PDB file of all heavy atoms in Angstrom:
ATOM      1  N   LEU A 107      92.093 118.385 118.190  1.00 81.00           N
ATOM      2  CA  LEU A 107      93.239 117.673 117.648  1.00 81.00           C
ATOM      3  C   LEU A 107      92.784 116.435 116.873  1.00 81.00           C
ATOM      4  O   LEU A 107      93.208 116.202 115.739  1.00 81.00           O
ATOM      5  CB  LEU A 107      94.185 117.262 118.784  1.00 81.00           C
ATOM      6  CG  LEU A 107      95.393 116.460 118.389  1.00 81.00           C
ATOM      7  CD1 LEU A 107      96.537 117.391 118.054  1.00 81.00           C
ATOM      8  CD2 LEU A 107      95.800 115.555 119.517  1.00 81.00           C
ATOM      9  N   ILE A 108      91.893 115.657 117.457  1.00 82.00           N
ATOM     10  CA  ILE A 108      91.383 114.454 116.797  1.00 82.00           C
ATOM     11  C   ILE A 108      90.651 114.824 115.509  1.00 82.00           C
ATOM     12  O   ILE A 108      90.828 114.193 114.477  1.00 82.00           O
ATOM     13  CB  ILE A 108      90.486 113.643 117.755  1.00 82.00           C
ATOM     14  CG1 ILE A 108      91.355 113.034 118.879  1.00 82.00           C
ATOM     15  CG2 ILE A 108      89.724 112.557 117.012  1.00 82.00           C
ATOM     16  CD1 ILE A 108      90.574 112.488 120.040  1.00 82.00           C
ATOM     17  N   ASN A 109      89.841 115.876 115.557  1.00 81.00           N
ATOM     18  CA  ASN A 109      89.135 116.314 114.346  1.00 81.00           C
ATOM     19  C   ASN A 109      90.109 116.761 113.262  1.00 81.00           C
ATOM     20  O   ASN A 109      89.908 116.471 112.083  1.00 81.00           O
ATOM     21  CB  ASN A 109      88.154 117.436 114.677  1.00 81.00           C
ATOM     22  CG  ASN A 109      86.943 116.924 115.428  1.00 81.00           C
ATOM     23  OD1 ASN A 109      86.577 115.759 115.319  1.00 81.00           O
ATOM     24  ND2 ASN A 109      86.323 117.788 116.213  1.00 81.00           N
ATOM     25  N   ALA A 110      91.167 117.466 113.665  1.00 82.00           N
ATOM     26  CA  ALA A 110      92.162 117.913 112.684  1.00 82.00           C
ATOM     27  C   ALA A 110      92.829 116.715 112.018  1.00 82.00           C
ATOM     28  O   ALA A 110      93.021 116.695 110.804  1.00 82.00           O
ATOM     29  CB  ALA A 110      93.203 118.807 113.358  1.00 82.00           C
ATOM     30  N   LEU A 111      93.184 115.708 112.810  1.00 79.00           N
ATOM     31  CA  LEU A 111      93.803 114.504 112.240  1.00 79.00           C
ATOM     32  C   LEU A 111      92.851 113.794 111.288  1.00 79.00           C
ATOM     33  O   LEU A 111      93.256 113.326 110.229  1.00 79.00           O
ATOM     34  CB  LEU A 111      94.262 113.556 113.353  1.00 79.00           C
ATOM     35  CG  LEU A 111      95.444 114.039 114.184  1.00 79.00           C
ATOM     36  CD1 LEU A 111      95.645 113.134 115.393  1.00 79.00           C
ATOM     37  CD2 LEU A 111      96.701 114.120 113.342  1.00 79.00           C
ATOM     38  N   LYS A 112      91.575 113.710 111.668  1.00 79.00           N
ATOM     39  CA  LYS A 112      90.582 113.077 110.802  1.00 79.00           C
ATOM     40  C   LYS A 112      90.424 113.838 109.490  1.00 79.00           C
ATOM     41  O   LYS A 112      90.107 113.260 108.453  1.00 79.00           O
ATOM     42  CB  LYS A 112      89.232 112.982 111.508  1.00 79.00           C
ATOM     43  CG  LYS A 112      89.198 111.899 112.572  1.00 79.00           C
ATOM     44  CD  LYS A 112      87.844 111.862 113.257  1.00 79.00           C
ATOM     45  CE  LYS A 112      87.794 110.800 114.331  1.00 79.00           C
ATOM     46  NZ  LYS A 112      86.531 110.814 115.072  1.00 79.00           N
ATOM     47  N   ASN A 113      90.643 115.160 109.538  1.00 77.00           N
ATOM     48  CA  ASN A 113      90.523 115.998 108.348  1.00 77.00           C
ATOM     49  C   ASN A 113      91.823 116.086 107.559  1.00 77.00           C
ATOM     50  O   ASN A 113      91.994 116.985 106.741  1.00 77.00           O
ATOM     51  CB  ASN A 113      90.052 117.405 108.729  1.00 77.00           C
ATOM     52  CG  ASN A 113      88.634 117.412 109.220  1.00 77.00           C
ATOM     53  OD1 ASN A 113      87.813 116.619 108.776  1.00 77.00           O
ATOM     54  ND2 ASN A 113      88.341 118.296 110.155  1.00 77.00           N
ATOM     55  N   LYS A 114      92.760 115.155 107.861  1.00 75.00           N
ATOM     56  CA  LYS A 114      94.041 115.080 107.168  1.00 75.00           C
ATOM     57  C   LYS A 114      94.867 116.343 107.346  1.00 75.00           C
ATOM     58  O   LYS A 114      95.546 116.803 106.426  1.00 75.00           O
ATOM     59  CB  LYS A 114      93.838 114.774 105.685  1.00 75.00           C
ATOM     60  CG  LYS A 114      93.142 113.463 105.434  1.00 75.00           C
ATOM     61  CD  LYS A 114      92.975 113.199 103.964  1.00 75.00           C
ATOM     62  CE  LYS A 114      92.269 111.873 103.756  1.00 75.00           C
ATOM     63  NZ  LYS A 114      92.033 111.596 102.354  1.00 75.00           N
ATOM     64  N   GLU A 115      94.808 116.924 108.537  1.00 72.00           N
ATOM     65  CA  GLU A 115      95.601 118.099 108.863  1.00 72.00           C
ATOM     66  C   GLU A 115      96.775 117.679 109.737  1.00 72.00           C
ATOM     67  O   GLU A 115      96.808 116.577 110.263  1.00 72.00           O
ATOM     68  CB  GLU A 115      94.735 119.134 109.582  1.00 72.00           C
ATOM     69  CG  GLU A 115      93.607 119.640 108.716  1.00 72.00           C
ATOM     70  CD  GLU A 115      92.638 120.554 109.448  1.00 72.00           C
ATOM     71  OE1 GLU A 115      92.921 120.938 110.595  1.00 72.00           O
ATOM     72  OE2 GLU A 115      91.597 120.868 108.859  1.00 72.00           O
ATOM     73  N   PHE A 116      97.723 118.567 109.883  1.00 67.00           N
ATOM     74  CA  PHE A 116      98.908 118.287 110.682  1.00 67.00           C
ATOM     75  C   PHE A 116      98.916 119.131 111.937  1.00 67.00           C
ATOM     76  O   PHE A 116      98.391 120.242 111.976  1.00 67.00           O
ATOM     77  CB  PHE A 116     100.182 118.557 109.874  1.00 67.00           C
ATOM     78  CG  PHE A 116     100.430 117.474 108.881  1.00 67.00           C
ATOM     79  CD1 PHE A 116      99.817 117.504 107.649  1.00 67.00           C
ATOM     80  CD2 PHE A 116     101.237 116.406 109.195  1.00 67.00           C
ATOM     81  CE1 PHE A 116     100.021 116.491 106.737  1.00 67.00           C
ATOM     82  CE2 PHE A 116     101.440 115.383 108.296  1.00 67.00           C
ATOM     83  CZ  PHE A 116     100.829 115.429 107.061  1.00 67.00           C
ATOM     84  N   ILE A 117      99.536 118.585 112.967  1.00 66.00           N
ATOM     85  CA  ILE A 117      99.614 119.246 114.257  1.00 66.00           C
ATOM     86  C   ILE A 117     101.079 119.534 114.553  1.00 66.00           C
ATOM     87  O   ILE A 117     101.918 118.638 114.487  1.00 66.00           O
ATOM     88  CB  ILE A 117      99.045 118.341 115.379  1.00 66.00           C
ATOM     89  CG1 ILE A 117      97.668 117.811 114.998  1.00 66.00           C
ATOM     90  CG2 ILE A 117      99.050 119.060 116.711  1.00 66.00           C
ATOM     91  CD1 ILE A 117      96.630 118.852 114.705  1.00 66.00           C
ATOM     92  N   MET A 118     101.382 120.761 114.877  1.00 51.00           N
ATOM     93  CA  MET A 118     102.730 121.125 115.280  1.00 51.00           C
ATOM     94  C   MET A 118     102.744 121.192 116.799  1.00 51.00           C
ATOM     95  O   MET A 118     102.192 122.095 117.396  1.00 51.00           O
ATOM     96  CB  MET A 118     103.112 122.499 114.726  1.00 51.00           C
ATOM     97  CG  MET A 118     103.361 122.539 113.256  1.00 51.00           C
ATOM     98  SD  MET A 118     105.053 122.221 112.764  1.00 51.00           S
ATOM     99  CE  MET A 118     106.027 123.143 113.883  1.00 51.00           C
ATOM    100  N   ARG A 119     103.336 120.229 117.400  1.00 53.00           N
ATOM    101  CA  ARG A 119     103.441 120.236 118.868  1.00 53.00           C
ATOM    102  C   ARG A 119     104.201 119.007 119.296  1.00 53.00           C
ATOM    103  O   ARG A 119     104.107 117.969 118.666  1.00 53.00           O
ATOM    104  CB  ARG A 119     102.060 120.233 119.527  1.00 53.00           C
ATOM    105  CG  ARG A 119     102.092 120.241 121.028  1.00 53.00           C
ATOM    106  CD  ARG A 119     102.717 121.516 121.538  1.00 53.00           C
ATOM    107  NE  ARG A 119     102.711 121.510 122.968  1.00 53.00           N
ATOM    108  CZ  ARG A 119     103.772 121.673 123.705  1.00 53.00           C
ATOM    109  NH1 ARG A 119     104.940 121.846 123.175  1.00 53.00           N
ATOM    110  NH2 ARG A 119     103.672 121.681 124.999  1.00 53.00           N
ATOM    111  N   ILE A 120     104.868 119.108 120.367  1.00 54.00           N
ATOM    112  CA  ILE A 120     105.552 117.961 120.922  1.00 54.00           C
ATOM    113  C   ILE A 120     104.605 117.325 121.921  1.00 54.00           C
ATOM    114  O   ILE A 120     104.429 117.791 123.035  1.00 54.00           O
ATOM    115  CB  ILE A 120     106.873 118.377 121.585  1.00 54.00           C
ATOM    116  CG1 ILE A 120     107.774 119.089 120.580  1.00 54.00           C
ATOM    117  CG2 ILE A 120     107.582 117.177 122.187  1.00 54.00           C
ATOM    118  CD1 ILE A 120     109.014 119.673 121.172  1.00 54.00           C
ATOM    119  N   VAL A 121     103.941 116.253 121.497  1.00 68.00           N
ATOM    120  CA  VAL A 121     102.999 115.556 122.365  1.00 68.00           C
ATOM    121  C   VAL A 121     103.730 115.059 123.608  1.00 68.00           C
ATOM    122  O   VAL A 121     103.198 115.098 124.714  1.00 68.00           O
ATOM    123  CB  VAL A 121     102.318 114.388 121.614  1.00 68.00           C
ATOM    124  CG1 VAL A 121     101.500 113.528 122.551  1.00 68.00           C
ATOM    125  CG2 VAL A 121     101.451 114.927 120.489  1.00 68.00           C
ATOM    126  N   ILE A 122     104.962 114.649 123.420  1.00 67.00           N
ATOM    127  CA  ILE A 122     105.763 114.169 124.541  1.00 67.00           C
ATOM    128  C   ILE A 122     105.942 115.280 125.574  1.00 67.00           C
ATOM    129  O   ILE A 122     105.905 115.025 126.780  1.00 67.00           O
ATOM    130  CB  ILE A 122     107.132 113.647 124.055  1.00 67.00           C
ATOM    131  CG1 ILE A 122     106.955 112.510 123.046  1.00 67.00           C
ATOM    132  CG2 ILE A 122     108.016 113.213 125.217  1.00 67.00           C
ATOM    133  CD1 ILE A 122     106.159 111.323 123.548  1.00 67.00           C
ATOM    134  N   ALA A 123     106.107 116.503 125.118  1.00 66.00           N
ATOM    135  CA  ALA A 123     106.250 117.625 126.056  1.00 66.00           C
ATOM    136  C   ALA A 123     104.980 117.780 126.887  1.00 66.00           C
ATOM    137  O   ALA A 123     105.045 118.132 128.067  1.00 66.00           O
ATOM    138  CB  ALA A 123     106.561 118.909 125.311  1.00 66.00           C
ATOM    139  N   MET A 124     103.836 117.520 126.276  1.00 71.00           N
ATOM    140  CA  MET A 124     102.587 117.585 127.026  1.00 71.00           C
ATOM    141  C   MET A 124     102.588 116.531 128.125  1.00 71.00           C
ATOM    142  O   MET A 124     102.214 116.800 129.264  1.00 71.00           O
ATOM    143  CB  MET A 124     101.390 117.396 126.095  1.00 71.00           C
ATOM    144  CG  MET A 124     101.213 118.518 125.099  1.00 71.00           C
ATOM    145  SD  MET A 124      99.960 118.170 123.839  1.00 71.00           S
ATOM    146  CE  MET A 124      98.478 118.147 124.818  1.00 71.00           C
ATOM    147  N   ILE A 125     103.032 115.324 127.778  1.00 78.00           N
ATOM    148  CA  ILE A 125     103.072 114.241 128.751  1.00 78.00           C
ATOM    149  C   ILE A 125     104.055 114.568 129.865  1.00 78.00           C
ATOM    150  O   ILE A 125     103.751 114.413 131.045  1.00 78.00           O
ATOM    151  CB  ILE A 125     103.427 112.907 128.055  1.00 78.00           C
ATOM    152  CG1 ILE A 125     102.300 112.506 127.095  1.00 78.00           C
ATOM    153  CG2 ILE A 125     103.697 111.805 129.083  1.00 78.00           C
ATOM    154  CD1 ILE A 125     102.656 111.374 126.149  1.00 78.00           C
ATOM    155  N   LYS A 126     105.240 115.069 129.475  1.00 75.00           N
ATOM    156  CA  LYS A 126     106.250 115.439 130.476  1.00 75.00           C
ATOM    157  C   LYS A 126     105.734 116.522 131.414  1.00 75.00           C
ATOM    158  O   LYS A 126     106.063 116.549 132.590  1.00 75.00           O
ATOM    159  CB  LYS A 126     107.524 115.930 129.781  1.00 75.00           C
ATOM    160  CG  LYS A 126     108.375 114.806 129.234  1.00 75.00           C
ATOM    161  CD  LYS A 126     109.518 115.303 128.380  1.00 75.00           C
ATOM    162  CE  LYS A 126     110.543 116.075 129.147  1.00 75.00           C
ATOM    163  NZ  LYS A 126     111.701 116.436 128.309  1.00 75.00           N
ATOM    164  N   SER A 127     104.923 117.421 130.889  1.00 70.00           N
ATOM    165  CA  SER A 127     104.376 118.521 131.692  1.00 70.00           C
ATOM    166  C   SER A 127     103.115 118.115 132.443  1.00 70.00           C
ATOM    167  O   SER A 127     102.438 118.954 133.013  1.00 70.00           O
ATOM    168  CB  SER A 127     104.062 119.719 130.796  1.00 70.00           C
ATOM    169  OG  SER A 127     105.200 120.141 130.120  1.00 70.00           O
ATOM    170  N   LYS A 128     102.787 116.830 132.367  1.00 77.00           N
ATOM    171  CA  LYS A 128     101.616 116.284 133.045  1.00 77.00           C
ATOM    172  C   LYS A 128     100.303 116.873 132.530  1.00 77.00           C
ATOM    173  O   LYS A 128      99.335 117.000 133.259  1.00 77.00           O
ATOM    174  CB  LYS A 128     101.742 116.443 134.564  1.00 77.00           C
ATOM    175  CG  LYS A 128     102.928 115.676 135.125  1.00 77.00           C
ATOM    176  CD  LYS A 128     103.012 115.800 136.630  1.00 77.00           C
ATOM    177  CE  LYS A 128     104.034 114.900 137.223  1.00 77.00           C
ATOM    178  NZ  LYS A 128     105.387 115.086 137.009  1.00 77.00           N
TER     179      LYS A 128
END
Side-chain angles (χ1 to χ4, degrees):
L107 177 89
I108 291 167
N109 287 335
L111 291 170
K112 285 179 181 176
N113 292 327
K114 300 180 180 178
E115 297 174 9
F116 284 84
I117 309 302
M118 288 270 316
R119 180 64 179 125
I120 302 173
V121 171
I122 301 303
M124 294 171 67
I125 294 168
K126 282 172 66 175
S127 302
K128 298 182 171 68

